[in-house]
Amino acid sequence: MSKHYPLLVGASLAVAVLATAGCNPPGARAAVASDSSAAAKSYVPPGEKDEFYLFYSGGHSGQVYVAGLPSMRHISTIPVFAPYPATGYGFDEESKQMMGRFTWGDVHHPGLSQTGGKYDGRWLFVNDNANNRIARIDLRDFKTKQILGPIPNSSGNHGSSFVTENSEYVLVASRFSVPLPKGRYADPSAYKSEFNGMVSGIKVDPANGTMAVGWQVLTPPFNWDLGSTGKGPSSGWAFWTSYNSEMAHDTLEANSTQGERDYAAIVNWRAAEQAVKDGKATMLDGVAVLDPAKVAGVIYFLPVPKSPHGIDTDPSGRWIAASGKLQPVTSVFDFEKIQKAIAAKAFDGDVRGIPVIKYEAVIEGEIPVGLGPLHTQFDGKGNAYTSLYVESAVAKWTLPPWNAEQKKNLNSIVTDKIPVHFNIGHLVVGGSDTKEPYGKYLVAMNKLSKGRHLSVGPSQPESSQLIDITGQKMAMLYEAYTEPEPHFAQILKADAIAPIEVYPKAENQHPKAAWDATQTGVTRTGNKVEVKMVAIRSRFLPDKIEVKAGDEVTIHVTNVEQTTDMIHGLGIIEHDMNVVVDPGETKTVKFVAGKPGVYPFYCTNFCSALHQEMQGYLAVKP
Ligand code: RUQ
Ligand code: CUA
């Protein structure tokens, strides 16, 4: 039944197509909704609120951005891997420590925590491709609470954050391979024999979300790409594609596109967890690592279309859709067939002891979606939506099971296509990775959105488009600027969470918090000066701090307000210092007093009619 579609074009030509695909998608129908009904559908009048949160990754800005849906209004920036003076992140001791020695990160894929295969509104996990880290944002206060990493034995944390059904793990796969343990030197020409990739299980504490590296599975030096976790019949499993099963170490655009197919990894993470408990792992850089050549049943390979990118599990957990950038099809695999194939050992040999599952034994169909398919999302009503990078479009198609007619003509499976502007990367449908997607909206996150906004010079504004998916045909509703660099996103129903707006005083555990004038003060020990400070409308207590040049000054500033949006900042002139303290919060800043002189400090966050008067002096004596 599954006819094999020919390769799009020869590899190098395909690469040229990928590189030059331009602004005029073939066969595009009128893209812009000109009727006012589209505008009305995304219009949220002043004073009214959106129905959904859109959490989108900020790529190499290192941040996560929050917008409302359907308005697409940017409503918040959550600093994660880079300093953000607007909230003082990266200036106080607590956040500085969390960021470690890095001042940036590369955020690609946010993943919401789940319970029972549904979003539970507790945490948002995001990866850092650049420094092999993963962070947890608490949705109680929209703040970054933990940054884990660099993850040992792992290089290029691109293949995450994939959260399991009950947030047992956030799963991670390495984009790059390096000689292990890290720090060992081997020439890249010895790539095949000396380099390795890794899949990691990052354990999440169900009580408080604290992450720790659980275990790892060693892999050949493939470049692992996007993944997804299983549910229902595929519960306990996870999937990743790879784009370099050729194991090329140079000129990847040509050398990693030689094979007709690449491999996806199918990982039984429950079996990995058990094998580690059974003592089958070896310690490497402090982590229990499983070698699949010695421990069977933990990982399998599955051939997928040439140079794949995305692999997505449908809401039922049975259908796994993988797309090859260089083949105009999305392959749908049946997880039930995958289990049967594993049981019957329907393998086409192995790669380094890892069995390769027979493609023909598990493929359900190759859907002719269009050119350059990347990622697939689901609406929970039996429809799938695949982003087409080369074609600059989104294809809508029907998930199996199919009737005899449909099976005979898989072209009929593709029920709609809508052009986007331009060259879409990710797309997101609310709850697509859960058992119960919201459907309703699809956001297309475009990579090369040339000329979509007023020109602001060579750095073209990035763009995302809001598409209504409630009808038979997709309908373009709205287009909005999105902060660079938009990658994946998550959509969460607004009423699924109730963020706090004030930190209750009773919760403040900071040992140096000061709540009234009697608790404030300046203490000196040698050349160390410690200040306990209160910030309240509209003054600092104390508002004069006397130190000597070269002193190490520590200020613990408590915002004693218990009122929503009563936020104070503390900016110190010429000391590169600014913190912003939320109501009920205490933050600690540390700096070395500059050369003798008097340095005013002031409140940086507008707080009252007398905000401008909220100031004081750091007097530095010779
Ligand atoms: S990748 S355009 Cu970093 Cu998510 Cu697919
Ligand atoms: Cu306090 Cu402005």
Side-chain angles (χ1 to χ4, degrees), residues 2 138 168 182 209 215 231 233 297 333 354 396 584 601 612:
S2 75
D138 198 327
E168 297 95 335
K182 276 193 215 166
W215 40 259
K231 57 178 91 68
F333 300 97
I354 300 169
K396 176 181 177 183
F601 57 80
Q612 199 75 353

Side-chain angles (χ1 to χ4, degrees), residues 536-540 567-569 603-608 610-612 614:
I536 188 168
R537 271 164 288 168
S538 299
R539 60 193 294 206
F540 292 107
I567 293 163
H568 300 290
C603 177
T604 49
N605 203 98
F606 194 94
C607 52
S608 70
L610 296 176
H611 152 80
Q612 199 75 353
M614 192 167 168

Side-chain angles (χ1 to χ4, degrees), residues 322-367:
S323 299
K325 292 173 295 212
L326 301 188
Q327 255 184 311
V329 298
T330 291
S331 295
V332 183
F333 300 97
D334 180 351
F335 193 77
E336 287 177 5
K337 288 186 190 167
I338 289 177
Q339 273 176 318
K340 281 185 199 142
I342 290 172
K345 295 200 159 51
F347 301 142
D348 264 338
D350 70 281
V351 178
R352 299 192 183 175
I354 300 169
V356 177
I357 296 171
K358 269 199 165 64
Y359 184 79
E360 292 70 22
V362 296
I363 183 77
E364 187 68 13
E366 293 179 334
I367 322 296

